[in-house]
Amino acid sequence: MTESSIGLGRASGKVILFGEHAVVYGVAAIAAGISRGAAARVRFTEHDQISLSGELLAPDHDLLSALFALRKVVGCEPVHAELKLEIPAGAGLGASAAMAVATARAMNDLIEKTNRSSRPLSDRVLFEAGQSWERVFHGTPSGVDVAAAQSSRPIRFEKGSEPTAILLNKPLHLAIAEAGPPASTKEMVTNVASFKARNLVQFDKTLEAISALVDNASLLLASGDHRAIGKLMDLNQILLSGWMLSTEEIESACRLARSSGALGAKLTGSGGGGCVIALAEDDAAAERIVSVWRNAGLKGFSSRIEGDLNVDHLECQK
Ligand code: PMV
């Protein structure tokens, strides 16, 4: 196999800092890509195939339907996609979107190499391709995961609009833990929809409150007042638990983080399990939170997000 017959692609995992679930109802969310994500290596074959972490998936696996949908948008012939994940799947870190964007980039790389011509994949086509993959799993995804997987800097994302860059006055030091077993995003989104149907007035009030939190958070990220941002994260967590998205494990991981110096902590992604993020004062403080989590039996790692330098560093701890 020569290098020219293999396409390579990578994409970021993500954290949602503010606004998950509310984003499905048209409120803006703030999300950021992290360095850990997914890598894809593709080559042309007769029929689509996917190997995930070295294991060939059964032909009726949902990921193959996602691959088919994605390559139709990219305009690519059948491929064998070898995928590697550096983040847990279904835990709120955007693993599915990262695999989608990495695969679309790898397909484009392969087409460029085999056609010996440059074929830039526009952000819009990449987004649509990622969304077509996500729809196989999530029904009607807002698009925040795909937009964050595409981006190397924090974004403000509103359904149906182009994401805009968020100004970060100084780096964000995050600690990220797997607080509990993953939950299905589709199920959690459906649960929120049925909560809304039962409690329309309360739902709308919470939506307004989250929208105000997001606007406040954008201003505070620009001014660099991380103590205040931490408080807004705590508030967002309370509002999400009002929508029945929190669990005892999530609450306990947030409590541990706060009592270990976190400026604020919340679930990230769909909730019902999965990951928690905590904002720390600096890298060392983030490491301290990770080690407190580790002593409590939780897996975690720290992540530094440097918006204005357009880079994101990550120091991993297993
Ligand atoms: O798939 P997750 O866990 O990263 O959550 C995605 C964010 C939601 O707001 C819960 C759903 C969506 O489509 O935006």
Side-chain angles (χ1 to χ4, degrees), residues 31-102:
I34 58 174
S35 295
R36 277 193 185 189
R41 201 180 137 92
V42 303
R43 62 189 158 77
F44 289 125
T45 48
E46 210 173 313
H47 305 291
D48 283 332
Q49 289 179 309
I50 296 183
S51 305
L52 183 55
S53 307
E55 241 178 72
L56 189 66
L57 301 183
D60 61 350
H61 197 287
D62 278 350
L63 273 174
L64 282 145
S65 312
L67 179 66
F68 179 79
L70 177 121
R71 72 174 176 75
K72 288 289 153 198
V73 179
V74 176
C76 182
E77 297 301 308
V79 290
H80 182 175
E82 293 171 57
L83 305 179
K84 275 200 192 126
L85 263 180
E86 301 146 357
I87 44 178
L93 298 182
S96 167
M99 285 193 289
V101 172

Side-chain angles (χ1 to χ4, degrees), residues 14 16 20-21 23-24 92 94 138 140-142 144-145 185 189 269-270:
K14 64 97 189 48
I16 297 181
E20 50 274 273
H21 285 284
V23 69
V24 173
H138 302 324
T140 53
S142 67
V144 63
D145 282 18
T185 300
V189 169
S270 69

